[in-house]
Amino acid sequence: MATTVRRAVLTLPAAPLGPENPLPALGAPAGAHALDERTRAGLPRDMARQAGYGPLRSLLPVRILDGYGRQRQEREFEALVLENAHLRATVLPGLGGRVHSLVHVPTGRELLYRNPVFQPANFALNGAWFSGGIEWNIGATGHTTLACAPLHAATVPAPDGGVMLRLWEWERLRDLPFQVDLWLPEDSEYLYAGVRIRNPHERPAPVYWWSNTAVPEDHGTRVLAPADEAWNHGCERSLRRIPVPDWQGADRTYPLRSEYAADYFYEVDHEPDPAAGAGTRPWIAALDAAGSGLAQTSTDVLRGRKLFVWGSGAGGRRWQDWLTEPGSGGYAEIQAGLARTQLEHVRLEAGAELSWLEAYGPLTADPAAVHGPDWAAARAEAGRALDAALPRHRVEEAYAAWRGAADTEPGERLARGSGWGALEVLCGGHKLPGTPFAESDLGEEQQPWLELWRSGALPDPGRTAPPGPSLVAPHWRDMLETAPADPLTEYHLGVAQWHAGDVAQAIRSWERGLPRAASRWPLLRCLAAADTLSGDPVRGARRYAEAFADLADPADPAQAGRGSAAWEAAESALGREAMTALLETGRPAEARAVWDRLRPALREQPRFRLLAALLLAAEGHMAAARRVFEDGFELPDLREGDEILAEVWSRITDRPLPPAYDFRMRPPG
């Protein structure tokens, strides 16, 4: 059977993704990992250096995706299917290029954990993320901001004369283009993924990449990798070196033998062996009780390997159900990345690129050896089986062949991503063979910035919608600084200056825009966030109240546009921020004033139900606050590891936390 690429439709029960949050994300991402100086001092030198390199100060220019819900209806998703006689891979180009399914055709066995629903949850750096399959994480430490975003996709001639599926996009946190070429040679039982990240700028850039693969877990599943030590990053957020497989009385290579969620970053030895002429081959595999499952390997550039487990505790199982539906079975993740851990970024020099080849496919090994008490024998058996199924030299040869095709121009376009790459290529004059960002990809969001580049001024958008997305890269900041200083330009300029770390200048820009602004709330909200993030929450709360009053002013002509999804998203986001700031600074009366001005439909949103309980508690109405919980609500955007529900419950009652609100992932105390 010749390899084919075809279009398909995947129908799933799906929650709505909802609109973007239109308020610029000025704060550091909640999910970004960080290590303190004391912890970094005890790490290997290269690891410590990379752990401190390129942390995000904010998510700009990316917007938050927090408008999703939990009411699911049948929905059709565009899918692309790559298939030969051995494997069938189903890819979702509209959802970050996720490999949703990888089926071993002769047996019909699904090699991945395939989520039977689409349920966004607050795990990505910018919010919306979903579980299952193989995801491509680029940008910064955490799940990519492209998890629920469309990628460009097209067919490309494969090195063996067949066909490849190319995915590509412009990653906006680091301003870097990347591509993933999925290649399934006609006679192969392994799916190849050729990955390339390019830096077209005249400055170095921090780079992050982890390929995360969800695999089914049960009590017989064991994860194997060529390592005798691992770096453990658990619920207490410390990083420590531990032995593999046994630690604290349990074999941690079995996912369900950890009680709490944890990361295990395997210390794979990459130092060349003088006898063998090469370092340890990087690989990881998840095998069931019968010794069968999925293996992932790669060329040496992708050095890191990791096991993520939810654990067997109540909180971990609750999260598993939350991300899919009860009865779907649990999953663990086997992952591969550019560094030892996901706390690190690597440096990509100006004009340089990084590339490697990954391989995914079925693996069967002797179960007696794989699950035996001798760890060295178990990992050796899995390594032997992998060498028999896919020798290392074949991966190296495939990589060399793929590199010769990486610049090949795509053929039939199968899906379209965003227009941001087209804007950057057009304005920057970048040459990126193999990944065309065409002017035809430009959309409505890019038009004001295209006009700024062409004429030197931003167009007047009117007052019927919140401001559009800001751009913050140095070349856009330079253009904003020389543009006419109208309120909209001052707003975007302040956002760009904030992103650059120039807090004082950002505040001056926002303050300069206020006197002439027809709608003052966008500028006031930025000033309120700046106050709060800079250590003056009381002044920030006052400005939040002023900003919301301006947004909700019925005399404002812009209120004619309040029926739009963008306007409702702005009112919801600013209302949540304002109430939170006012309650945290002990101003319940002003928080009540914000509540009273909210449209009734917004008050029924789950996040506002939680704020209602907090407001009632602050006013001394504990029984009424408990009734909010007793009436029931689900918080769709609850952050991984966030224990706000347990904290609020303990504030209003000494009763046990109801199981529906128990998402605690840490040991008591």
Side-chain angles (χ1 to χ4, degrees):
M1 175 182 176
T3 300
T4 60
V5 175
R6 57 182 170 85
R7 298 177 187 268
V9 173
L10 179 67
T11 302
L12 295 174
L17 190 57
E20 290 182 331
N21 184 325
L23 308 184
L26 301 182
H33 301 312
L35 294 175
D36 58 37
E37 290 293 333
R38 183 175 179 180
T39 301
R40 281 167 46 196
L43 301 178
R45 185 176 300 175
D46 63 329
M47 189 173 169
R49 182 180 65 253
Q50 292 180 166
Y53 174 54
L56 288 180
R57 187 172 185 272
S58 77
L59 278 175
L60 296 168
V62 175
R63 285 182 155 187
I64 301 293
L65 275 172
D66 60 2
Y68 47 87
R70 290 192 58 82
Q71 299 300 313
R72 298 193 285 261
Q73 296 181 339
E74 293 290 313
R75 175 182 160 192
E76 293 184 345
F77 292 89
E78 179 184 16
L80 301 171
V81 179
L82 185 66
E83 185 172 10
N84 68 3
H86 304 285
L87 289 177
R88 181 170 61 251
T90 301
V91 181
L92 303 178
L95 295 172
R98 183 79 59 98
V99 180
H100 174 71
S101 168
L102 186 63
V103 173
H104 185 232
V105 174
T107 62
R109 176 173 181 167
E110 174 62 67
L111 299 176
L112 307 176
Y113 169 76
R114 180 172 56 191
N115 198 331
V117 304
F118 173 70
Q119 178 56 64
N122 192 2
F123 281 67
L125 286 166
N126 64 330
W129 174 88
F130 65 105
S131 65
I134 306 171
E135 60 173 311
W136 317 110
N137 286 292
I138 182 174
T141 55
H143 289 283
T144 179
T145 62
L146 295 168
C148 292
L151 302 191
H152 301 280
T155 56
V156 182
D160 63 349
V163 62
M164 290 193 300
L165 173 61
R166 177 164 297 165
L167 306 164
W168 73 98
E169 194 35 289
W170 191 278
E171 199 287 310
R172 301 180 66 211
L173 289 179
R174 305 302 194 185
D175 261 339
L176 301 176
F178 73 98
Q179 71 189 78
V180 179
D181 286 356
L182 297 176
W183 174 28
L184 189 56
E186 182 176 339
D187 62 346
S188 177
E189 287 198 340
Y190 276 73
L191 173 69
Y192 294 143
V195 183
R196 177 167 63 167
I197 304 171
R198 289 186 273 194
N199 181 4
H201 306 295
E202 296 179 353
R203 60 186 185 277
V207 171
Y208 175 91
W209 183 280
W210 279 80
S211 302
N212 292 6
T213 305
V215 292
E217 69 170 7
D218 58 35
H219 287 282
T221 300
R222 190 177 205 187
V223 172
L224 301 106
D228 294 313
E229 291 183 309
W231 295 92
N232 169 243
H233 189 246
C235 45
E236 68 282 354
R237 298 307 183 211
S238 64
L239 190 66
R240 53 192 164 188
R241 199 165 188 159
I242 64 170
V244 175
D246 297 308
W247 183 59
Q248 292 185 339
D251 185 333
R252 304 296 173 170
T253 61
Y254 289 88
L256 290 176
R257 296 185 188 178
S258 292
E259 185 177 359
Y260 298 100
D263 301 325
Y264 299 99
F265 298 101
Y266 293 115
E267 187 67 72
V268 178
D269 182 11
H270 283 266
E271 293 301 319
D273 181 343
T280 301
R281 180 184 189 182
W283 60 270
I284 191 167
L287 304 180
D288 63 15
S292 295
L294 175 82
Q296 188 274 358
T297 186
S298 70
T299 49
D300 289 350
V301 167
L302 203 67
R303 64 167 299 174
R305 292 299 184 274
K306 171 193 164 185
L307 164 64
F308 167 75
V309 300
W310 282 108
S312 58
R317 307 330 291 171
R318 181 74 175 97
W319 273 110
Q320 294 254 30
D321 289 345
W322 184 255
L323 294 171
T324 176
E325 56 186 15
S328 299
Y331 74 93
E333 286 188 357
I334 57 174
Q335 307 180 10
L338 286 173
R340 279 186 176 95
T341 73
Q342 289 170 335
L343 309 176
E344 304 167 66
H345 300 107
V346 302
R347 181 184 177 98
L348 183 57
E349 298 296 340
E353 65 178 54
L354 275 168
S355 65
W356 63 90
L357 189 85
E358 305 180 40
Y360 298 82
L363 188 69
T364 299
D366 177 9
V370 164
H371 295 284
D374 186 336
W375 170 245
R379 52 176 273 195
E381 167 59 17
R384 180 208 59 78
L386 178 60
D387 287 341
L390 185 66
R392 185 175 192 172
H393 70 84
R394 280 179 51 191
V395 176
E396 299 290 345
E397 291 165 359
Y399 170 68
W402 168 73
R403 283 296 289 125
D407 283 351
T408 303
E409 290 302 312
E412 179 188 4
R413 184 70 74 94
L414 300 174
R416 291 193 180 273
S418 77
W420 296 114
L423 181 69
E424 295 296 340
V425 167
L426 178 64
C427 298
H430 305 304
K431 305 298 182 185
L432 299 169
T435 53
F437 295 96
E439 284 193 54
S440 58
D441 294 327
L442 293 167
E444 183 179 349
E445 288 187 323
Q446 290 81 45
Q447 290 305 317
W449 300 95
L450 187 62
E451 180 65 24
L452 173 64
W453 177 66
R454 285 174 170 164
S455 70
L458 284 171
D460 182 359
R463 301 173 60 195
T464 58
S470 298
L471 293 184
V472 297
H475 51 284
W476 293 110
R477 188 171 71 247
D478 291 345
M479 283 185 252
L480 289 167
E481 287 175 345
T482 58
D486 58 76
L488 179 63
T489 300
E490 297 284 18
Y491 165 82
H492 286 301
L493 176 58
V495 173
Q497 290 165 333
W498 177 272
H499 176 261
D502 193 345
V503 174
Q505 195 60 51
I507 290 171
R508 280 194 289 271
S509 294
W510 291 326
E511 289 177 338
R512 276 199 308 266
L514 273 175
R516 293 180 292 126
S519 288
R520 303 172 74 242
W521 68 264
L523 293 157
L524 285 168
R525 183 267 172 184
C526 287
L527 289 167
D531 286 336
T532 303
L533 293 167
S534 299
D536 193 347
V538 173
R539 185 169 66 173
R542 288 200 303 266
R543 278 177 160 163
Y544 268 121
E546 187 181 355
F548 189 81
D550 183 76
L551 180 147
D553 183 1
D556 188 339
Q559 298 302 304
R562 286 189 70 192
S564 69
W567 198 271
E568 183 173 335
E571 184 178 346
S572 173
L574 185 54
R576 295 193 311 260
E577 288 188 5
M579 286 192 67
T580 299
L582 291 164
L583 289 170
E584 287 180 348
T585 54
R587 308 162 83 92
E590 292 172 73
R592 173 64 68 181
V594 172
W595 175 270
D596 289 342
R597 301 187 81 160
L598 288 167
R599 66 183 80 187
L602 287 183
R603 296 178 195 163
E604 297 305 314
Q605 290 183 351
R607 181 58 74 173
F608 282 106
R609 300 308 303 154
L610 177 63
L611 284 168
L614 284 165
L615 176 58
L616 289 165
E619 293 171 333
H621 306 306
M622 297 301 176
R626 283 195 302 272
R627 279 197 296 274
V628 173
F629 277 78
E630 290 163 358
D631 290 344
F633 65 93
E634 290 187 315
L635 205 60
D637 62 335
L638 184 67
R639 185 81 197 174
E640 177 190 10
D642 192 344
E643 298 186 357
I644 183 65
L645 294 173
E647 292 167 3
V648 176
W649 179 259
S650 67
R651 197 179 307 174
I652 60 180
T653 181
D654 57 2
R655 300 174 188 171
L657 180 67
Y661 301 115
D662 190 357
F663 292 87
R664 293 172 293 187
M665 296 171 64
R666 294 180 291 181

Short mmCIF file of all heavy atoms in Angstrom, two decimals, residues 520-547:
data_model
loop_
_atom_site.label_atom_id
_atom_site.label_comp_id
_atom_site.label_asym_id
_atom_site.label_seq_id
_atom_site.Cartn_x
_atom_site.Cartn_y
_atom_site.Cartn_z
N ARG A 520 -11.97 55.37 27.70
CA ARG A 520 -10.79 55.42 28.55
C ARG A 520 -10.44 54.06 29.17
O ARG A 520 -9.33 53.86 29.66
CB ARG A 520 -11.00 56.46 29.66
CG ARG A 520 -11.30 57.85 29.11
CD ARG A 520 -11.70 58.84 30.21
NE ARG A 520 -10.55 59.23 31.02
CZ ARG A 520 -10.42 59.01 32.31
NH1 ARG A 520 -11.36 58.35 32.96
NH2 ARG A 520 -9.34 59.42 32.96
N TRP A 521 -11.38 53.12 29.16
CA TRP A 521 -11.18 51.90 29.93
C TRP A 521 -9.99 51.05 29.47
O TRP A 521 -9.32 50.46 30.33
CB TRP A 521 -12.46 51.06 29.96
CG TRP A 521 -12.89 50.45 28.65
CD1 TRP A 521 -13.78 50.96 27.76
CD2 TRP A 521 -12.43 49.21 28.10
NE1 TRP A 521 -13.91 50.13 26.68
CE2 TRP A 521 -13.10 49.05 26.86
CE3 TRP A 521 -11.54 48.24 28.51
CZ2 TRP A 521 -12.88 47.94 26.04
CZ3 TRP A 521 -11.31 47.13 27.70
CH2 TRP A 521 -11.98 46.99 26.49
N PRO A 522 -9.66 50.97 28.16
CA PRO A 522 -8.48 50.15 27.82
C PRO A 522 -7.19 50.68 28.45
O PRO A 522 -6.35 49.90 28.92
CB PRO A 522 -8.43 50.21 26.29
CG PRO A 522 -9.85 50.52 25.88
CD PRO A 522 -10.33 51.45 26.94
N LEU A 523 -7.02 52.01 28.46
CA LEU A 523 -5.83 52.61 29.05
C LEU A 523 -5.86 52.49 30.57
O LEU A 523 -4.84 52.17 31.20
CB LEU A 523 -5.74 54.08 28.63
CG LEU A 523 -5.47 54.32 27.14
CD1 LEU A 523 -5.94 55.70 26.72
CD2 LEU A 523 -3.99 54.13 26.82
N LEU A 524 -7.04 52.72 31.17
CA LEU A 524 -7.15 52.61 32.62
C LEU A 524 -6.88 51.18 33.08
O LEU A 524 -6.25 50.96 34.12
CB LEU A 524 -8.55 53.05 33.06
CG LEU A 524 -8.82 54.55 33.06
CD1 LEU A 524 -10.31 54.82 33.24
CD2 LEU A 524 -8.02 55.24 34.17
N ARG A 525 -7.35 50.22 32.33
CA ARG A 525 -7.10 48.83 32.72
C ARG A 525 -5.62 48.52 32.68
O ARG A 525 -5.09 47.82 33.56
CB ARG A 525 -7.88 47.89 31.80
CG ARG A 525 -7.73 46.42 32.19
CD ARG A 525 -6.59 45.77 31.42
NE ARG A 525 -6.29 44.41 31.89
CZ ARG A 525 -5.28 43.69 31.43
NH1 ARG A 525 -4.47 44.17 30.51
NH2 ARG A 525 -5.07 42.47 31.90
N CYS A 526 -4.89 48.98 31.66
CA CYS A 526 -3.44 48.76 31.61
C CYS A 526 -2.76 49.41 32.81
O CYS A 526 -1.86 48.81 33.42
CB CYS A 526 -2.87 49.31 30.31
SG CYS A 526 -3.28 48.32 28.85
N LEU A 527 -3.17 50.61 33.16
CA LEU A 527 -2.59 51.28 34.32
C LEU A 527 -2.91 50.53 35.61
O LEU A 527 -2.06 50.42 36.50
CB LEU A 527 -3.10 52.72 34.39
CG LEU A 527 -2.55 53.66 33.30
CD1 LEU A 527 -3.35 54.95 33.26
CD2 LEU A 527 -1.07 53.95 33.56
N ALA A 528 -4.14 50.00 35.71
CA ALA A 528 -4.52 49.24 36.89
C ALA A 528 -3.68 47.98 37.02
O ALA A 528 -3.19 47.64 38.11
CB ALA A 528 -6.01 48.88 36.82
N ALA A 529 -3.50 47.27 35.90
CA ALA A 529 -2.68 46.06 35.93
C ALA A 529 -1.23 46.40 36.27
O ALA A 529 -0.57 45.67 37.03
CB ALA A 529 -2.75 45.35 34.58
N ALA A 530 -0.72 47.50 35.72
CA ALA A 530 0.65 47.91 36.01
C ALA A 530 0.82 48.23 37.49
O ALA A 530 1.82 47.84 38.12
CB ALA A 530 1.02 49.12 35.17
N ASP A 531 -0.15 48.93 38.08
CA ASP A 531 -0.08 49.22 39.52
C ASP A 531 -0.04 47.93 40.33
O ASP A 531 0.79 47.77 41.23
CB ASP A 531 -1.31 50.03 39.94
CG ASP A 531 -1.24 51.48 39.48
OD1 ASP A 531 -0.13 51.98 39.26
OD2 ASP A 531 -2.31 52.09 39.35
N THR A 532 -0.93 47.02 40.00
CA THR A 532 -1.03 45.77 40.77
C THR A 532 0.25 44.96 40.64
O THR A 532 0.78 44.43 41.63
CB THR A 532 -2.24 44.95 40.29
OG1 THR A 532 -3.43 45.75 40.43
CG2 THR A 532 -2.39 43.68 41.08
N LEU A 533 0.76 44.83 39.41
CA LEU A 533 1.95 44.03 39.18
C LEU A 533 3.21 44.69 39.71
O LEU A 533 4.20 44.02 39.99
CB LEU A 533 2.10 43.75 37.68
CG LEU A 533 1.02 42.85 37.07
CD1 LEU A 533 1.08 42.91 35.55
CD2 LEU A 533 1.17 41.42 37.56
N SER A 534 3.17 46.03 39.88
CA SER A 534 4.34 46.77 40.36
C SER A 534 4.33 46.97 41.87
O SER A 534 5.20 47.66 42.40
CB SER A 534 4.43 48.13 39.65
OG SER A 534 4.57 47.95 38.25
N GLY A 535 3.33 46.40 42.54
CA GLY A 535 3.35 46.44 44.00
C GLY A 535 2.46 47.48 44.64
O GLY A 535 2.62 47.76 45.84
N ASP A 536 1.50 48.06 43.91
CA ASP A 536 0.56 49.01 44.50
C ASP A 536 -0.86 48.53 44.22
O ASP A 536 -1.59 49.12 43.42
CB ASP A 536 0.78 50.41 43.93
CG ASP A 536 0.05 51.50 44.72
OD1 ASP A 536 -0.81 51.13 45.56
OD2 ASP A 536 0.33 52.68 44.52
N PRO A 537 -1.29 47.43 44.87
CA PRO A 537 -2.61 46.87 44.57
C PRO A 537 -3.77 47.77 44.94
O PRO A 537 -4.85 47.67 44.34
CB PRO A 537 -2.63 45.57 45.38
CG PRO A 537 -1.64 45.79 46.48
CD PRO A 537 -0.57 46.66 45.89
N VAL A 538 -3.59 48.65 45.92
CA VAL A 538 -4.69 49.54 46.32
C VAL A 538 -5.00 50.53 45.20
O VAL A 538 -6.17 50.71 44.81
CB VAL A 538 -4.34 50.27 47.63
CG1 VAL A 538 -5.40 51.32 47.96
CG2 VAL A 538 -4.22 49.26 48.77
N ARG A 539 -3.97 51.18 44.67
CA ARG A 539 -4.21 52.09 43.55
C ARG A 539 -4.68 51.31 42.33
O ARG A 539 -5.55 51.78 41.58
CB ARG A 539 -2.94 52.88 43.21
CG ARG A 539 -3.19 53.93 42.12
CD ARG A 539 -2.04 54.89 41.96
NE ARG A 539 -0.84 54.25 41.46
CZ ARG A 539 0.27 54.90 41.12
NH1 ARG A 539 0.32 56.22 41.26
NH2 ARG A 539 1.32 54.26 40.68
N GLY A 540 -4.15 50.09 42.14
CA GLY A 540 -4.61 49.27 41.04
C GLY A 540 -6.09 48.97 41.15
O GLY A 540 -6.83 49.03 40.15
N ALA A 541 -6.57 48.66 42.35
CA ALA A 541 -7.99 48.36 42.54
C ALA A 541 -8.85 49.58 42.22
O ALA A 541 -9.92 49.46 41.59
CB ALA A 541 -8.23 47.89 43.97
N ARG A 542 -8.40 50.77 42.64
CA ARG A 542 -9.16 51.99 42.32
C ARG A 542 -9.26 52.19 40.82
O ARG A 542 -10.32 52.54 40.29
CB ARG A 542 -8.49 53.21 42.97
CG ARG A 542 -8.64 53.29 44.48
CD ARG A 542 -8.41 54.71 44.98
NE ARG A 542 -7.10 55.21 44.58
CZ ARG A 542 -6.00 55.13 45.36
NH1 ARG A 542 -6.08 54.54 46.54
NH2 ARG A 542 -4.85 55.61 44.95
N ARG A 543 -8.15 51.97 40.13
CA ARG A 543 -8.17 52.16 38.68
C ARG A 543 -9.01 51.09 37.99
O ARG A 543 -9.65 51.35 36.97
CB ARG A 543 -6.74 52.17 38.14
CG ARG A 543 -6.08 53.53 38.28
CD ARG A 543 -4.65 53.52 37.82
NE ARG A 543 -4.17 54.86 37.51
CZ ARG A 543 -2.90 55.20 37.41
NH1 ARG A 543 -1.96 54.29 37.59
NH2 ARG A 543 -2.54 56.44 37.11
N TYR A 544 -8.99 49.86 38.52
CA TYR A 544 -9.85 48.82 37.96
C TYR A 544 -11.32 49.24 38.07
O TYR A 544 -12.10 49.06 37.12
CB TYR A 544 -9.63 47.50 38.69
CG TYR A 544 -8.60 46.60 38.06
CD1 TYR A 544 -7.48 46.19 38.79
CD2 TYR A 544 -8.73 46.16 36.74
CE1 TYR A 544 -6.52 45.36 38.22
CE2 TYR A 544 -7.77 45.34 36.18
CZ TYR A 544 -6.67 44.93 36.92
OH TYR A 544 -5.73 44.12 36.35
N ALA A 545 -11.71 49.76 39.21
CA ALA A 545 -13.10 50.20 39.39
C ALA A 545 -13.45 51.31 38.40
O ALA A 545 -14.54 51.32 37.80
CB ALA A 545 -13.31 50.67 40.83
N GLU A 546 -12.52 52.24 38.22
CA GLU A 546 -12.75 53.33 37.27
C GLU A 546 -12.84 52.81 35.84
O GLU A 546 -13.68 53.26 35.05
CB GLU A 546 -11.63 54.36 37.40
CG GLU A 546 -11.84 55.63 36.59
CD GLU A 546 -10.70 56.62 36.73
OE1 GLU A 546 -9.77 56.38 37.54
OE2 GLU A 546 -10.73 57.65 36.01
N ALA A 547 -11.98 51.86 35.50
CA ALA A 547 -12.00 51.29 34.15
C ALA A 547 -13.31 50.57 33.88
O ALA A 547 -13.91 50.74 32.80
CB ALA A 547 -10.82 50.32 33.98
#
